């Protein structure tokens, strides 16, 4: 199951408490669903949890049932209300005049209480939200085709202490979050703490993998440098030997050359430990540079 679907399943398990919260959540769903105006309300969803939640939610909020509901086993399910009396009851519940452009604005007066605002945001996410798999990236967004509703959603998030960014895409107004800690906080506030923990865990795993990869790459680069340096040193020593100059070098340089030829796979630190007496890596490196310089001359 996609991570976004898992989040919606978790949100759909939130208990439906007071009628005000039920109406606020239904309001968020209606403003971010497929169609909502004075002639029709249509909600299309693939979420199994939301399919089970919608009938209970709308009955708790408005004491009404859907005119059409999805059949058992349907992938995408359509919930439809076309009865004028039912639609009028919904409009009246939000304090909106019949035939008003309800889908173009949010009646913020119905969302002054924090619990109602949270329920509204949860409903908006259930109908028009998505969140990226945190193992692939960090992005949570809510999309609506109504410009004013998008702007009012931004204000509601600000009131809740969140500060998302906004953009437009293909005629839709998008409110989104890109930082993992902000996404964690939003999911927790909406009622999905398990999913928020999933984001946190994925972040830790990604950071750990990145750290390991950087270390491996660093070690690989250092190994390549060490191999190249050893190859240059051995080439220099063989050059001095061929020119007959190796035997005339000071004892320390001859010992260094011998150790390098006998142990081409060892690092400078390991070679330094084999010297008699042992020397520091810096001292052995100085001897190696001297051999290379003599060979160049």
């Amino acid at each position: 199951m996609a991570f976004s679907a898992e989040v919606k399943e978790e949100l759909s398990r939130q208990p439906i408490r007071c009628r005000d919260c039920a109406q606020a959540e239904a309001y968020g769903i209606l403003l971010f669903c497929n169609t909502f105006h004075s002639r029709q309300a249509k909600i299309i969803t693939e979420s199994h949890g939301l399919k089970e939640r919608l009938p209970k939610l709308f009955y708790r909020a408005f004491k009404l049932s859907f005119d059409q509901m999805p059949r058992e086993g349907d992938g995408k399910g359509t919930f439809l209300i076309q009865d004028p009396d039912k639609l009028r009851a919904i409009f009246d519940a939000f304090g909106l005049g019949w035939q008003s452009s309800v889908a173009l604005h949010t009646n913020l007066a119905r969302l002054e209480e924090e619990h109602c605002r949270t329920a509204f945001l949860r409903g908006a996410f259930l109908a028009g939200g998505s969140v990226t798999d945190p193992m692939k990236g960090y992005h949570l967004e809510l999309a609506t085709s109504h410009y004013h509703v998008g702007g009012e959603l931004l204000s509601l998030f600000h009131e809740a202490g969140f500060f998302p960014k906004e953009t437009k895409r293909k005629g839709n107004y998008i409110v989104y979050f890109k930082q993992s800690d902000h996404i964690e906080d939003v999911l927790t506030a909406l009622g999905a703490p398990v999913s928020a923990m999933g984001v946190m865990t994925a972040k830790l795993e990604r950071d750990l993998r990145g750290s390991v990869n950087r270390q491996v790459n660093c070690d690989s680069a250092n190994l390549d440098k060490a191999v190249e340096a050893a190859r240059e040193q051995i080439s220099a020593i063989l050059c001095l030997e061929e020119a007959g100059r190796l035997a005339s070098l000071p004892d320390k340089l001859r010992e260094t050359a011998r150790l390098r030829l006998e142990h081409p796979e060892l690092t400078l630190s390991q070679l330094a430990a084999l010297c008699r007496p042992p020397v520091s890596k810096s001292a052995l490196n100085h001897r190696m540079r001297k051999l290379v310089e003599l060979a160049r001359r």
Side-chain angles (χ1 to χ4, degrees):
M1 183 184 296
F3 183 74
S4 192
E6 292 178 0
V7 173
K8 292 187 179 183
E9 293 299 313
E10 184 178 0
L11 291 177
S12 296
R13 292 193 292 270
Q14 281 290 308
I16 301 172
R17 302 188 185 280
C18 66
R19 189 179 184 189
D20 287 343
C21 286
Q23 287 184 350
E25 184 176 329
Y27 197 14
I29 290 173
L30 288 167
L31 289 180
F32 284 79
C33 70
N34 302 81
T35 306
F36 181 38
H37 49 63
S38 60
R39 299 181 304 280
Q40 184 183 85
K42 181 191 289 185
I43 305 165
I44 301 176
T45 180
E46 293 182 352
S47 170
H48 176 73
L50 185 55
K51 289 177 187 176
E52 292 189 343
R53 185 177 184 82
L54 281 172
K56 302 173 187 175
L57 179 70
F58 272 63
Y59 186 80
R60 183 76 174 91
F62 313 114
K63 300 295 183 183
L64 57 80
S65 59
F66 288 94
D67 298 331
Q68 176 186 322
M69 289 177 34
R71 293 171 298 181
E72 187 71 26
D74 284 351
K76 279 189 176 181
T78 300
F79 293 81
L80 187 64
I81 297 177
Q82 291 180 309
D83 186 325
D85 292 335
K86 293 180 179 180
L87 290 168
R88 186 178 288 109
I90 294 174
F91 276 56
D92 291 343
F94 297 133
L96 300 162
W98 181 242
Q99 302 292 341
S100 69
S101 56
V102 63
L104 300 180
H105 285 279
T106 308
N107 186 355
L108 299 178
R110 298 304 304 271
L111 307 174
E112 292 181 348
E113 298 294 333
E114 182 179 352
H115 54 87
C116 288
R117 184 170 58 239
T118 299
F120 175 87
L121 294 174
R122 180 168 57 248
F125 182 86
L126 284 169
S130 63
V131 57
T132 302
D133 185 338
M135 290 303 296
K136 299 177 181 178
Y138 306 118
H139 184 88
L140 182 151
E141 73 174 36
L142 294 93
T144 175
S145 58
H146 307 303
Y147 178 80
H148 294 296
V149 171
E152 288 149 1
L153 177 69
L154 195 69
S155 298
L156 286 172
F157 269 120
H158 288 173
E159 290 179 20
F162 301 109
F163 300 93
K165 296 182 180 180
E166 55 185 317
T167 188
K168 293 179 182 178
R169 186 194 312 136
K170 297 180 180 180
N172 288 328
Y173 187 98
I174 311 294
V175 173
Y176 67 95
F177 297 86
K178 296 291 287 184
Q179 292 183 287
S180 61
D181 54 338
H182 293 172
I183 294 173
E184 293 165 17
D185 292 342
V186 169
L187 292 178
T188 300
L190 296 186
V194 175
S195 297
M197 185 62 69
V199 175
M200 187 182 303
T201 302
K203 179 183 178 181
L204 292 173
E205 186 174 341
R206 288 183 68 187
D207 289 347
L208 179 60
R209 286 184 178 180
S211 177
V212 170
N213 287 337
R214 285 191 295 273
Q215 185 62 48
V216 169
N217 291 337
C218 180
D219 291 345
S220 178
N222 289 338
L223 180 60
D224 290 342
K225 290 179 181 178
V227 170
E228 183 59 33
R231 184 181 294 115
E232 182 183 19
Q233 294 158 7
I234 291 172
S235 177
I237 294 168
L238 293 176
C239 179
L240 290 171
E241 187 176 41
E242 184 178 347
R245 297 194 54 194
L246 193 59
S248 62
L249 294 178
D251 292 343
K252 293 180 179 179
L253 291 183
R254 282 190 288 110
E255 179 189 35
T256 300
R258 177 181 60 79
L259 288 174
R260 173 47 82 198
L261 291 177
E262 291 177 354
H263 306 284
E265 78 286 356
L266 296 186
T267 64
L268 287 181
S269 297
Q270 292 168 326
L271 286 178
L274 295 178
C275 291
R276 291 293 178 266
V279 298
S280 66
K281 176 183 175 182
S282 176
L284 190 70
N285 188 41
H286 176 75
R287 295 180 188 179
M288 288 293 186
R289 288 202 304 269
K290 183 66 175 179
L291 290 170
V292 172
E293 181 62 26
L294 289 173
R296 287 175 180 170
R297 292 177 184 176

